Amino acid sequence: MRYPQGGGRTAERQQFREELRLQAADWFARVEASSVIAKDLRVSVRSVQRWRQTWSEDGPRALRSQGPTSLPRLSQKQFTQLEAELAKGPSAHGWEDQRWTLERVKTVIGRRFHLTYTIQGVRKLLVRNGWSCQVPARRAMERVDDAVAGWVKEVWPCAEGSRRPVEPGSSSRMKPASP
């Protein structure tokens, strides 16, 4: 993950970017070229142009930081409550099997907190709070190892297909029929 809390910049990085914009504002007042400002501040010319337009429309105060770009929609207290709900298991929430999917977690968040998340938003929320994709720790009791071994030997090779080309290949980059 690039940023803490799943998005935006750190407070230090926001402060640094604000200082750059305010330095640029001083140069705007001196009617300096955008390319010169961009080179000296080590930012893109397009960023300087956007800052200049904002500065000319609303003044230097408009270049100040507007605060965090995004905040987690679930507070830490709410996420703790969500973890308690997830610990109860999917059957406590009406599903027959014991698998948590992102879609199911999304449904629980909607029911419990009346918030709408996307599937990717749920994934980012869980990863941000230390959750990860899991695989079962044990094999299913219903598994028959002999049947699995037979399937791997007989069915899988047919399904996988041959890796060798059907026709003889050529090392030439030219098509065989080309003049």
Side-chain angles (χ1 to χ4, degrees):
M1 191 174 318
R2 288 180 57 185
Y3 302 116
Q5 287 88 42
R9 295 184 174 93
T10 62
E12 296 83 25
R13 192 71 181 152
Q14 282 180 337
Q15 180 66 32
F16 174 75
R17 295 292 290 184
E18 180 180 341
E19 289 171 9
L20 284 178
R21 291 190 301 271
L22 295 176
Q23 285 177 12
D26 293 340
W27 291 5
F28 297 155
R30 290 184 263 154
V31 193
E32 199 67 51
S34 295
S35 58
V36 173
I37 298 170
K39 185 176 180 183
D40 286 347
L41 295 179
R42 295 183 176 182
V43 296
S44 70
V45 174
R46 181 65 189 124
S47 291
V48 174
Q49 291 169 345
R50 277 194 320 270
W51 298 344
R52 185 186 299 268
Q53 183 176 358
T54 303
W55 175 80
S56 65
E57 291 172 359
D58 301 322
R61 296 187 123 252
L63 296 176
R64 295 213 172 269
S65 177
Q66 302 297 314
T69 54
S70 68
L71 294 171
R73 293 170 56 200
L74 277 182
S75 67
Q76 195 58 44
K77 180 182 176 185
Q78 288 173 319
F79 188 79
T80 304
Q81 293 172 355
L82 175 63
E83 285 182 313
E85 293 295 322
L86 297 178
K88 293 177 185 176
S91 61
H93 296 279
W95 290 286
E96 293 182 9
D97 61 358
Q98 289 296 310
R99 288 181 301 122
W100 278 117
T101 62
L102 293 174
E103 182 69 39
R104 290 178 179 184
V105 174
K106 174 186 171 188
T107 302
V108 171
I109 291 171
R111 288 178 186 166
R112 180 78 170 87
F113 304 106
H114 306 288
L115 291 174
T116 304
Y117 269 84
T118 62
I119 297 295
Q120 287 302 313
V122 171
R123 185 189 67 77
K124 289 177 182 178
L125 173 73
L126 294 174
V127 168
R128 181 174 42 229
N129 287 282
W131 287 61
S132 64
C133 297
Q134 298 292 311
V135 294
R138 301 181 300 271
R139 290 186 177 181
M141 292 182 63
E142 300 84 10
R143 180 180 165 124
V144 180
D145 288 329
D146 294 334
V148 172
W151 184 89
V152 168
K153 286 182 183 176
E154 297 170 15
V155 178
W156 178 245
C158 296
E160 186 177 29
S162 172
R163 293 181 185 222
R164 293 183 181 175
V166 177
E167 300 172 359
S170 170
S171 62
S172 173
R173 298 173 97 189
M174 302 288 289
K175 294 182 180 176
S178 37

